[in-house]
Amino acid sequence: MSDMSPNRPYLIRAIHEWICDNGLTTHLAVNASYPGVEVPQDFVQDGQIVLNIAPRAVTNFIAGNEEITFSARFGGMPMTLRVPVNAVVAVFARENGQGMAFDPAEPPPEPTPPEPEKDDSKAKVSHLKVVK
């Protein structure tokens, strides 16, 4: 069996489309502490934020395979949001709660910092001699 790409981004897009086609309001529940999440921290409660992603509430909406980006207003101030798809906890309709919840995803491993280069200049003795 070949390795398949993760299904989470496809499911998020499908549920979003289904909710919109039924005239309801799509919301995303997001783990706000997941690496790469860029959301207004003033609206985070218990480590999560619920975002209205209905077409009438956002602009420049792009639901990619790695992240979801869009612009929205919070307290009247425009803001661009970034949500890695693995930070999405659920996608659901505000009016009736129908949608899908996801198992929490493990954050990507922290990149290992590069090892500092060793300064061997002091250890080496030059074989060159000063010629006068």
Side-chain angles (χ1 to χ4, degrees), residues 6-9 12 29-35 37 48 66 84-90 101-109:
N7 63 7
R8 186 180 298 228
I12 292 169
V30 175
N31 174 357
S33 63
Y34 193 88
V37 170
Q48 287 192 358
E66 299 297 322
V85 293
N86 284 336
V88 176
V89 177
F102 299 98
D103 290 331
E106 289 294 320

Side-chain angles (χ1 to χ4, degrees), residues 6-23:
N7 63 7
R8 186 180 298 228
Y10 298 92
L11 294 170
I12 292 169
R13 288 190 293 264
I15 302 281
H16 177 46
E17 182 179 351
W18 172 66
I19 291 170
C20 290
D21 285 354
N22 282 279

Side-chain angles (χ1 to χ4, degrees), residues 43-123:
F43 295 87
V44 173
Q45 294 180 348
D46 298 323
Q48 287 192 358
I49 187 167
V50 176
L51 302 169
N52 178 351
I53 61 166
R56 64 187 172 276
V58 300
T59 58
N60 303 320
F61 183 82
I62 300 170
N65 287 345
E66 299 297 322
E67 71 179 7
I68 299 165
T69 60
F70 58 94
S71 296
R73 291 186 171 272
F74 290 86
M77 298 297 297
M79 181 175 183
T80 299
L81 287 80
R82 289 183 60 234
V83 177
V85 293
N86 284 336
V88 176
V89 177
V91 55
F92 61 94
R94 178 188 67 203
E95 293 82 356
N96 61 15
Q98 289 191 36
M100 179 177 280
F102 299 98
D103 290 331
E106 289 294 320
E110 291 288 325
T112 55
E115 290 187 28
E117 293 183 22
K118 295 180 182 176
D119 186 10
D120 292 338
S121 62
K122 295 174 187 167

